[in-house]
Amino acid sequence: MKNIFVILPMIVITLFSKAQSNFKMGVNYNFGASTYYGNKMGAMEMNGSEMPIYSLKLSNGMGVKFQYSINEKWAMNVNASYQQRGAIFDKGMYSYNPRYKFNYLDLAFGTSYQTKEIIKKSRLCFSIAGTYNLLLNSQRVNNYESYNLMNDSQMSDFGVFASVGLNIPRVEMDVIQISLFANSGFKNAFSGVLLDNGMVGKNLLFGLQLNYLLGFNKK
């Protein structure tokens, strides 16, 4: 699995090596909150039990980003990152709030648009992407122990990513990107016994994303 983080950058660099002035690459960091949506909150479900009411859980992520500028305003983007997801449930009932901890390898393919300069050469930037999320591990954690949920979790998810923020130019061709983002999954995160018992929850993630992209001059 770790080889993906090596192979993907090599492929992208090879594809864009002949257009260096239009190509940027760098790292990103996400800080935000995750939860699940799509459940019937408070509704009586199978076995006479209530579906859990999910609460927000802090989530972090980091990865690499590749950007190819088609022109001054439009660009294509490829992201590969490690991202935490999950949710708190039964909040306030115990000394430690039980939670689902799901970690994914995220691959995102999309496009971005930046406006004209607005403040000190900075530009507004809007982006949208489709995402493929591969499950790396999943757990249910309480005050005493954690349970491996890999056999009761969907191994992949598809979703959509959107963000709005600022592109701030730095030395020469470099860019700092600061944006607010949201990422919604389409598939139920649960499978196996949990799915048979009526568990429903689709990934929802939002927060702040920081990117630092290195630019390349023409040779």
Side-chain angles (χ1 to χ4, degrees):
M1 189 64 62
K2 295 180 180 179
N3 292 335
I4 295 178
F5 289 98
V6 177
I7 296 173
L8 184 61
M10 292 177 63
I11 293 174
V12 176
I13 291 172
T14 300
L15 289 175
F16 298 139
S17 60
K18 294 183 179 180
Q20 290 185 0
S21 63
N22 294 334
F23 176 60
K24 289 181 172 59
M25 64 177 294
V27 296
N28 59 52
Y29 174 74
N30 297 335
F31 176 76
S34 65
T35 188
Y36 294 127
Y37 75 97
N39 63 318
K40 300 177 182 179
M41 291 199 268
M44 298 299 291
E45 293 292 331
M46 289 186 175
N47 302 324
S49 61
E50 290 187 357
M51 291 290 289
I53 297 177
Y54 301 119
S55 302
L56 297 176
K57 181 184 81 68
L58 293 180
S59 296
N60 299 289
M62 61 180 60
V64 292
K65 179 176 182 176
F66 307 92
Q67 178 175 294
Y68 178 75
S69 298
I70 301 172
N71 53 43
E72 184 181 359
K73 293 185 177 181
W74 290 95
M76 298 170 55
N77 304 289
V78 178
N79 288 58
S81 59
Y82 168 85
Q83 181 64 55
Q84 299 174 341
R85 286 185 175 82
I88 289 174
F89 62 96
D90 292 341
K91 186 175 182 179
M93 296 180 63
Y94 307 97
S95 59
Y96 175 85
N97 290 320
R99 63 200 63 198
Y100 293 108
K101 291 185 175 181
F102 283 49
N103 298 319
Y104 292 84
L105 168 65
D106 286 5
L107 300 177
F109 306 88
T111 185
S112 60
Y113 174 85
Q114 66 175 2
T115 65
K116 296 180 180 180
E117 297 178 2
I118 55 171
I119 302 175
K120 295 182 179 180
K121 297 184 178 181
S122 298
R123 303 167 183 253
L124 283 175
C125 182
F126 306 87
S127 67
I128 188 168
T131 62
Y132 172 75
N133 317 112
L134 181 65
L135 184 66
L136 301 178
N137 56 71
S138 59
Q139 295 178 317
R140 182 174 63 231
V141 181
N142 59 31
N143 197 31
Y144 306 102
E145 55 191 338
S146 62
Y147 301 89
N148 188 322
L149 294 181
M150 288 298 288
N151 292 330
D152 298 306
S153 306
Q154 290 284 355
M155 293 305 298
S156 62
D157 192 10
F158 294 93
V160 62
F161 173 96
S163 69
V164 57
L166 279 178
N167 284 348
I168 305 172
R170 297 298 297 167
V171 180
E172 295 183 354
M173 304 289 291
D174 297 355
V175 174
I176 293 177
Q177 296 179 334
I178 304 175
S179 58
L180 299 174
F181 75 91
N183 184 199
S184 177
F186 297 148
K187 297 173 64 177
N188 188 358
F190 303 105
S191 67
V193 175
L194 294 180
L195 179 62
D196 293 339
N197 288 332
M199 288 290 294
V200 178
K202 299 178 183 180
N203 285 305
L204 179 62
L205 173 71
F206 55 89
L208 179 69
Q209 183 178 84
L210 303 176
N211 290 277
Y212 192 97
L213 301 180
L214 299 172
F216 298 89
N217 292 314
K218 289 183 178 179
K219 292 184 178 181

